[in-house]
């Protein structure tokens, strides 16, 4: 529940609700539409003879092993987007270190190589590169 409180505080209830509606329309409320969309993206990239590169949270990969299979099968490059989608500019260096370590471990457990990092919400602070 603290994550939802954090989102309401940082984004505002109205913006959060609008974003939720947009996400549901784009990706659906089950993972079926997300998987279908990911497969479509991969097909487009394959036609263009290039490989996609996605920043993903480790928690997402942990919850949806079918996405991991698609990533591995299609040689998709993965950049870390945190363990959970939290605002790194608002958390301590130690909290960032813990979250990053957990995320890297989850990716390693899935057999995924991580290539880069992008802070959720495109936010970070001076401690983020150290984490």
């Amino acid at each position: 529940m603290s994550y939802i409180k954090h989102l309401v505080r940082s984004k505002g209830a109205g913006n959060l609700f609008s974003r939720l509606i947009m996400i549901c329309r784009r990706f659906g409320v089950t993972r079926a539409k997300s998987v279908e969309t990911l497969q479509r993206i991969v097909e487009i990239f394959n036609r263009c003879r290039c490989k996609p590169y996605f920043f993903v949270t480790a928690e997402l990969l942990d919850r949806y092993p079918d996405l991991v299979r698609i990533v591995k099968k299609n040689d998709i490059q993965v950049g870390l987007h945190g363990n959970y989608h939290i605002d790194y500019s608002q958390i301590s260096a130690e909290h960032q270190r813990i979250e990053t370590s957990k995320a890297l471990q989850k990716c390693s457990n899935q057999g995924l190589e991580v290539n880069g990092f992008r802070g959720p919400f495109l936010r970070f602070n001076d401690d983020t590169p150290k984490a």
Side-chain angles (χ1 to χ4, degrees), residues 44-99:
I44 292 167
F45 272 84
N46 285 342
R47 280 197 308 263
C48 296
R49 291 188 217 135
C50 55
K51 296 288 180 188
Y53 184 97
F54 295 113
F55 287 95
V56 295
T57 62
E59 179 267 340
L60 178 80
L61 295 173
D62 209 29
R63 278 194 306 158
Y64 300 110
D66 45 344
L67 293 178
V68 173
R69 282 191 289 281
I70 293 170
V71 166
K72 286 180 173 180
K73 178 182 175 190
N74 293 283
D75 197 28
I76 295 171
Q77 296 242 347
V78 173
L80 193 59
H81 200 46
N83 188 30
Y84 294 96
H85 202 267
I86 57 176
D87 187 346
Y88 273 59
S89 72
Q90 301 297 309
I91 60 176
S92 69
E94 181 61 12
H95 191 178
Q96 288 184 55
R97 189 193 64 71
I98 291 168
E99 288 299 310

Side-chain angles (χ1 to χ4, degrees), residues 93-121:
E94 181 61 12
H95 191 178
Q96 288 184 55
R97 189 193 64 71
I98 291 168
E99 288 299 310
T100 302
S101 293
K102 285 179 184 178
L104 289 170
Q105 186 61 54
K106 285 179 181 179
C107 289
S108 177
N109 291 347
Q110 296 280 0
L112 295 174
E113 181 182 339
V114 173
N115 297 292
F117 177 84
R118 176 179 161 190
F121 309 107

Side-chain angles (χ1 to χ4, degrees), residues 17-31:
F17 183 73
S18 295
R19 177 109 170 116
L20 180 63
I21 297 298
M22 183 274 302
I23 288 170
C24 288
R25 284 185 183 148
R26 184 176 293 166
F27 299 107
V29 291
T30 67
R31 68 177 175 236

